[in-house]
Amino acid sequence: MDVPAKHSPVTLHPATGQHARRTVENLAQLYRHDLSEFTGQLPAADGTFRFGPLPSFFDAPDRRAYLIRAADQLAGFALTRRMDERVGPDGDQRTSLSAFFVVRALRGHGVGRRAALYLLSGRPGPWGIAYQEANPGAARFWRQVAADAAGTAWHAERRPSPSGAAGAAPDVWLLLDTANRHREATCPPGEQSAGTTATP
């Protein structure tokens, strides 16, 4: 199967139904393998990486799973959840971009950036995005996405790793608010027709 052209349409699709769920579960193994370079996680005896919270993104009402497609070819997935954190004068609930993955063949083609911006702009308001400080690629990518999605309305802070492991390095959290950025302003010029099919 050919790699989609660099400016191919990128879309988001809610991962509903058993087939979509299995697809996310399969991609999640690649995601956990990528992260193992920075988290030190090893596969279990059966050769798979544990991802305990994953089922909740299909069952809990405040969590969502999406498939990312480029030119209608499978490109990755994203997971979001509502956080127990309210910000601003109206007490808006922050949303976490809990996992985000694009297959290696499509990295550097703008697929991840466009998918992330569509997701963030599709649910205007406060967001949180975490990554490991030891992962410089993630730092560059997410800081650029935060600036594109929220302008100057974002900042970084360190928070304890959810793993709770002794000596675990803290995660870096980018905290941003997309409420004041119009959806078209967050999409790359000429890409509006490739907009999300999801309703985050």
Side-chain angles (χ1 to χ4, degrees):
M1 186 175 294
D2 294 334
V3 173
K6 191 165 186 176
H7 298 293
S8 297
V10 174
T11 53
L12 295 170
H13 304 260
T16 56
Q18 287 303 310
H19 177 73
R21 178 170 181 161
R22 286 194 298 271
T23 301
V24 172
E25 290 171 345
N26 291 338
L27 290 172
Q29 287 296 304
L30 304 178
Y31 166 74
R32 298 298 282 189
H33 176 261
D34 272 7
L35 283 185
S36 68
E37 178 181 355
F38 308 104
T39 64
Q41 183 185 15
L42 296 175
D46 63 359
T48 62
F49 286 89
R50 297 292 181 253
F51 196 170
L54 184 57
S56 67
F57 288 91
F58 302 97
D59 303 327
D62 62 342
R63 300 186 177 213
R64 298 285 187 274
Y66 301 95
L67 289 170
I68 302 169
R69 293 188 175 275
D72 206 35
Q73 294 184 25
L74 186 62
F77 75 96
L79 305 176
T80 68
R81 65 177 176 86
R82 294 290 194 181
M83 299 175 67
D84 295 329
E85 181 177 329
R86 294 185 178 273
V87 298
D90 298 325
D92 295 327
Q93 194 169 8
R94 191 181 299 281
T95 301
S96 167
L97 184 45
S98 302
F100 187 86
F101 174 79
V102 171
V103 297
R104 286 183 176 270
L106 294 177
R107 296 178 193 176
H109 290 254
V111 173
R113 176 175 174 270
R114 281 179 282 166
L117 290 174
Y118 295 149
L119 188 58
L120 294 171
S121 62
R123 182 184 287 172
W127 283 82
I129 303 170
Y131 61 86
Q132 291 75 37
E133 191 167 27
N135 187 346
R140 288 191 299 270
F141 176 79
W142 288 117
R143 286 174 178 268
Q144 183 61 59
V145 167
D148 290 342
T152 59
W154 68 277
H155 69 279
E157 64 180 51
R158 288 168 175 76
R159 296 184 176 185
S161 169
S163 69
D171 288 338
V172 177
W173 279 81
L174 302 185
L175 305 177
L176 57 149
D177 195 327
T178 62
N180 295 325
R181 300 281 285 192
H182 193 266
R183 184 186 183 104
E184 283 75 14
T186 67
C187 296
E191 294 296 337
Q192 284 83 351
S193 62
T196 176
T197 61
T199 305

